[in-house]
Amino acid sequence: MIFPKIKILKSHGRQAIPDLDTVELTSEFRGRPVLTATDDLSDVERAAEICPTQALSAHPFTLDLGRCIFCGECARCAARNIRFTNDYRLSSPTREGLVMRPGMERVEFDMKQVRPEIRSYFSEALELREVSAGGEGSVEMELGATGNVNFDFGRFGVGFTASPRHADGVVVSGPVTRNMAEALQICYDSVAEPKILIACGTEACSGGLFSESKAIDRSFFEHHHVDLWMPGTPTHPMVFIDGIRTMLGKKQRQ
């Protein structure tokens, strides 16, 4: 009975990624955009008009990854000016760091904005409590995938816990609905100091498609400092892994 199972395991090959710091995603992955300014920005103006989250602006020419849902319509409408790469290094310790401009070759990660106690306390082990604050489930699925056989993020001492009492920080996904605002605050208050707060996904970063909804209450972010902003709809596991390891000082943004 064991020989068929061995045959299946052999056919699967080695699924685990040995070095998460050298991963290259497929060219089909829509990651960091490259903006190219030209004398004529009429295509960008038209693309900005159809952007569903107002992430794109022609004057000044910027693309806010915290609002972007990575639909790719702007790149199709303004191909001369906007191109998406497969670069998954998208997170930033500041909300302003997610705003892309012409000439930017990467999403900068300003380590000076990372609180010293984060690396001091959590560089070797980090347990996080994920709160789906009105999300539709895609970001939550991708966060779960960080611990699967492919990525095995747990090997670096990073994982998720069911109890905020056992957590070192909170990962917020979803736009934060009124029905979840109080629950999110209770969860955050239950985590002992010092603690980390992460906004994961475009909905968490800005509200995304639901930012103007009356059902949204984002006052939580007005009262608490976010240590890491992660865009994406949903956020790819490698975006999360790269952001966490960079914040903890385990790698540098190249």
Side-chain angles (χ1 to χ4, degrees):
M1 293 297 292
I2 189 139
F3 292 108
K5 293 180 175 60
I6 294 175
K7 184 178 180 180
I8 292 174
L9 289 174
K10 186 177 180 180
S11 68
H12 284 172
R14 183 172 183 174
Q15 292 179 274
I17 302 171
D19 188 356
L20 292 177
D21 294 339
T22 60
V23 171
E24 289 190 16
L25 299 184
T26 172
S27 59
E28 297 179 355
F29 173 73
R30 198 171 291 134
R32 174 181 56 83
V34 174
L35 307 186
T36 303
T38 57
D39 293 335
D40 181 9
L41 292 178
S42 57
D43 289 344
V44 178
E45 293 173 351
R46 285 193 290 271
E49 291 178 357
I50 64 173
C51 181
T53 58
Q54 293 79 54
L56 179 64
S57 170
H59 306 287
F61 185 15
T62 59
L63 180 55
D64 185 353
L65 300 185
R67 289 180 173 272
C68 181
I69 61 173
F70 295 84
C71 64
E73 285 300 316
C74 59
R76 284 183 279 270
C77 185
R80 294 182 305 163
N81 306 101
I82 305 171
R83 175 177 62 88
F84 282 91
T85 71
N86 65 341
D87 185 4
Y88 55 81
R89 299 165 181 85
L90 303 176
S91 60
S92 171
T94 65
R95 180 64 180 84
E96 296 75 18
L98 298 181
V99 180
M100 301 298 296
R101 297 175 174 82
M104 293 180 63
E105 297 180 354
R106 64 178 63 88
V107 177
E108 298 292 343
F109 198 103
D110 187 359
M111 291 300 295
K112 295 179 181 179
Q113 300 296 325
V114 179
R115 292 180 289 131
E117 57 266 32
I118 290 179
R119 281 165 286 174
S120 176
Y121 283 91
F122 308 122
S123 61
E124 301 302 326
L126 178 64
E127 287 293 319
L128 298 166
R129 175 68 170 98
E130 195 275 326
V131 178
S132 177
E136 31 68 49
S138 61
V139 173
E140 295 80 1
M141 290 178 64
E142 296 298 281
L143 289 176
T146 62
N148 66 19
V149 68
N150 301 104
F151 302 103
D152 188 21
F153 200 23
R155 76 181 104 161
F156 296 104
V158 181
F160 293 94
T161 180
S163 172
R165 298 293 187 185
H166 299 159
D168 303 308
V170 175
V171 179
V172 182
S173 62
V176 188
T177 60
R178 291 187 181 276
N179 290 340
M180 280 300 299
E182 182 180 2
L184 174 59
Q185 184 64 58
I186 292 173
C187 177
Y188 182 80
D189 291 340
S190 300
V191 180
E193 295 284 356
K195 52 190 169 187
I196 294 173
L197 178 59
I198 299 171
C200 190
T202 295
E203 290 180 357
C205 289
S206 66
L209 290 169
F210 311 102
S211 60
E212 302 300 323
S213 172
K214 295 181 180 179
I216 301 301
D217 179 5
R218 294 183 54 79
S219 59
F220 175 83
F221 292 111
E222 298 174 3
H223 302 126
H224 302 292
H225 172 75
V226 176
D227 294 292
L228 193 60
W229 300 88
M230 296 183 173
T233 310
T235 303
H236 192 279
M238 283 308 304
V239 176
F240 183 80
I241 291 170
D242 170 77
I244 294 293
R245 284 182 54 76
T246 304
M247 179 181 66
L248 296 179
K250 295 299 184 179
K251 62 179 296 187
Q252 294 182 348
R253 182 68 52 84
Q254 300 292 334

